[in-house]
Structures are given as structure tokens and as C-alpha cells.
């Protein structure tokens, strides 16, 4: 079992791994970190092993770094900090669904507008529409 600086180093290495694995696979919380350290045989004490001021700071730092990649707003970060992870993610999911719906509506409107413009150009001018549009817009692949 590790102690002191060696344990601090092992904790930081484990946090780096968790950060790299991402939130979906390894959400950083004191409990999940402790479970991983225990599984690896690095600690055998309770969760209080991670409760020193320095260890709390480093865990909080890595937790915040992991949450940055999720683009959570302040309220959602607070929900996560209060251990309401599922609620925070559900709220973020709802926001993203709303944004997708909005973007799909804009795409539909833009497509309709483009089709109307194409129709007008075809019927009222001698210009070939294919010459006006970008290649990716007329590609049929």
C-alpha cells in the first residue's frame, strides 16, 4: 500500500487515466477514484484516504477538466458537484436535443429557400443552375 507522496503520484496518474478514458467510461468522483485505487491494490483504507486538502484539490481539478469537455453550463456543473450527475446529464441532453431540433428546422427552411431559388432561376433565366451552385450542392452521390 502506498502512502504520502507516492500515493499522491499514483492518484494523479489514475486521474490522468480517467480523464483520458472520458466521462462516459470513467466519471471522476472521489468514490470512483477510490474504487479504482483499491482495485489496483494501491490503497486499502476507506474513502477518507482521499480527503486530505491536497488530494481534494487535485480531484476537483481533474473533475473540472473532465467536465469542460461536456460543455455543461454553470447549473449543470453545480448539479454534478452535488452528485446529481444523472440529472445534470439529462438536462444537458434536453438542451442538445432542443438545439438539434432548431438546427434541423433551419436546415429545412434553407433547403426550401434554395429549391425555390433554383426553380426561379430555371424558369426565368437562360443561366444553367449547375454553373451557379457549388459542386457539393449538385452532387448526386
Amino acid at each position: 500500500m502506498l502512502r504520502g507522496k507516492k500515493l499522491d503520484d499514483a492518484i494523479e496518474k489514475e486521474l490522468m487515466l480517467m480523464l483520458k478514458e472520458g466521462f462516459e467510461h470513467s466519471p471522476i468522483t472521489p468514490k470512483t477514484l477510490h474504487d479504482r485505487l483499491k482495485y489496483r491494490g494501491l490503497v486499502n483504507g476507506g474513502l477518507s484516504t482521499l480527503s486530505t486538502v491536497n488530494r481534494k484539490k487535485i480531484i476537483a481539478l481533474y473533475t473540472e477538466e473532465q467536465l469542460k469537455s461536456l460543455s455543461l453550463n454553470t447549473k449543470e456543473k453545480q448539479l454534478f458537484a452535488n452528485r446529481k450527475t444523472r440529472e445534470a446529464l439529462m438536462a444537458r441532453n434536453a438542451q442538445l436535443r432542443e438545439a438539434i431540433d432548431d438546427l434541423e428546422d433551419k436546415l429545412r427552411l434553407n433547403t426550401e429557400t434554395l429549391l425555390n431559388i433554383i426553380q426561379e432561376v430555371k424558369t426565368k433565366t437562360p443561366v444553367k443552375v449547375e454553373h451557379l451552385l457549388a459542386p457539393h450542392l449538385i452532387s448526386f452521390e
Side-chain angles (χ1 to χ4, degrees):
M1 299 306 125
L2 300 177
R3 292 176 173 232
K5 179 71 173 139
K6 287 184 180 180
L7 179 57
D8 290 345
D9 292 342
I11 288 170
E12 187 152 13
K13 284 180 185 175
E14 195 65 33
L15 286 167
M16 284 182 207
L17 282 172
M18 293 173 79
L19 188 62
K20 194 173 195 176
E21 291 170 5
F23 183 83
E24 297 79 22
H25 297 289
S26 301
I28 297 174
T29 66
K31 174 74 172 122
T32 57
L33 174 62
H34 182 261
D35 290 345
R36 287 173 64 123
L37 293 171
K38 206 168 182 180
Y39 177 77
R40 295 183 193 276
L42 300 174
V43 296
N44 63 359
L47 191 56
S48 61
T49 306
L50 303 176
S51 65
T52 66
V53 173
N54 186 42
R55 292 175 186 160
K56 282 183 177 181
K57 282 183 183 178
I58 193 95
I59 293 167
L61 181 78
Y62 277 89
T63 301
E64 189 169 324
E65 186 66 31
Q66 191 177 56
L67 292 178
K68 279 183 188 176
S69 66
L70 299 176
S71 302
L72 300 175
N73 64 31
T74 307
K75 181 183 176 190
E76 292 162 342
K77 284 181 184 176
Q78 189 60 44
L79 287 172
F80 182 84
N82 292 335
R83 303 293 180 252
K84 295 182 181 174
T85 309
R86 181 171 171 77
E87 189 176 334
L89 291 175
M90 295 296 282
R92 182 66 181 152
N93 194 22
Q95 282 180 341
L96 292 173
R97 285 179 198 267
E98 236 177 76
I100 288 170
D101 290 344
D102 184 46
L103 290 171
E104 285 175 343
D105 287 344
K106 287 179 181 178
L107 176 62
R108 185 184 49 74
L109 288 172
N110 286 338
T111 302
E112 288 175 10
T113 302
L114 185 59
L115 289 172
N116 288 338
I117 291 170
I118 290 170
Q119 189 61 38
E120 288 293 313
V121 168
K122 276 185 173 181
T123 59
K124 296 186 178 177
T125 68
V127 178
K128 290 191 173 197
V129 176
E130 294 81 15
H131 295 264
L132 299 175
L133 298 175
H136 72 276
L137 291 175
I138 57 174
S139 175
F140 296 106
E141 296 176 10

